[in-house]
Amino acid sequence: MVVKVALVVVLAVIAVYGALWALQRKMIYQADTSPVPPAADVIPGAQDVTLSTDDGLELGAWLVPPDPAADRGIAVLFAPGNGGNREGRADLAQLLSDRGFTVLLMDYRGYGGNPGSPSEDGLASDAAAAAEFLAQQGFSPQQTIYFGESLGSAVVARLQEATPPAGVVMRSPFTSMADVAADIVPWAPVGLLLRDEFPVTEYVAASDVPTTVIWATADTLIDPAMSEQVADAAEQNGHLVEAMTLPGANHNDPVTAGAEVADAVVRLAEAIA
């Protein structure tokens, strides 16, 4: 009887761990797969553009021009979080445009009507395609700021290692996906189960790119202490430009994509000028 009970327990544990292995990407990448409207219908003057990845995907994105009176000659490559699609960041793109930035609002594979399925390596290819597109538009890496939001912070952390930009903004970054998973399922051996690791702090600690880190102090999705650790890693390496908190805000509150955040991008641009 004891052996049978033990066998049932073992099988149950295997089933749970198997489900975590199989479903983890659905948990990480909560894509809005629905097509987005034409860019110009949402942001006046914006264009629908296509990013071509090194593994053969054609991804839709929006290119938002700057206010001509405020044009800084700097592009912002915006890498979004793990949910929604680019339409949800139209207001922030407009705020950045008003402040003189050209903005590339990308969507990852599997998001916003794009083909493919998201993964760590896949998102890296998507971001590399976005940087290459901007270079083709005349924006070299040294004329580009990478802006990563939540999961997008991990994407730009990796991108800046391969293609260093003028500066990086990370909003609500985490230290690594293993740390996030350990917060959610502390009883599981996440180090063995994770397929996508996103070691953000490692990338930041090895970087010399000027960096701004922004986080909400009441964030219930990403522990604010993780974002602070990312900022500490940048500071220890001497490339932290600003650590900015949004007091009392949660992860997706409007302030996290509002004027205060856009102004932080301006301060970074001015600091690196």
Side-chain angles (χ1 to χ4, degrees), residues 1-11:
M1 182 65 178
V2 173
V3 173
K4 289 183 178 180
V5 171
L7 180 59
V8 169
V9 171
V10 169
L11 291 175

Side-chain angles (χ1 to χ4, degrees), residues 174-273:
F174 49 81
T175 48
S176 70
M177 188 57 69
D179 291 340
V180 175
D183 270 357
I184 299 171
V185 283
W187 43 266
V190 292
L192 298 176
L193 294 172
L194 271 180
R195 302 165 74 181
D196 296 335
E197 298 180 351
F198 294 108
V200 178
T201 307
E202 290 182 21
Y203 289 128
V204 173
S207 170
D208 60 1
V209 175
T211 301
T212 290
V213 182
I214 304 168
W215 67 94
T217 63
D219 198 322
T220 57
L221 292 181
I222 301 298
D223 186 343
M226 288 193 198
S227 297
E228 189 170 359
Q229 288 175 46
V230 173
D232 288 345
E235 184 172 32
Q236 289 169 15
N237 205 25
H239 61 276
L240 180 68
V241 173
E242 182 178 5
M244 173 181 162
T245 60
L246 301 170
N250 204 343
H251 191 79
N252 290 315
D253 285 354
V255 69
T256 64
E260 291 180 60
V261 171
D263 288 341
V265 181
V266 172
R267 290 193 294 274
L268 176 61
E270 292 176 346
I272 62 184

Side-chain angles (χ1 to χ4, degrees), residues 127-211:
E132 176 60 25
F133 174 85
L134 285 173
Q136 293 170 358
Q137 300 300 306
F139 294 99
S140 70
Q142 287 307 307
Q143 295 172 286
T144 303
I145 291 172
Y146 299 161
F147 187 126
E149 175 184 77
S150 193
L151 179 67
S153 293
V155 174
V156 299
R158 178 168 169 174
L159 178 63
Q160 60 87 37
E161 180 184 57
T163 309
V168 171
V169 178
M170 298 182 178
R171 200 278 283 172
S172 302
F174 49 81
T175 48
S176 70
M177 188 57 69
D179 291 340
V180 175
D183 270 357
I184 299 171
V185 283
W187 43 266
V190 292
L192 298 176
L193 294 172
L194 271 180
R195 302 165 74 181
D196 296 335
E197 298 180 351
F198 294 108
V200 178
T201 307
E202 290 182 21
Y203 289 128
V204 173
S207 170
D208 60 1
V209 175
T211 301

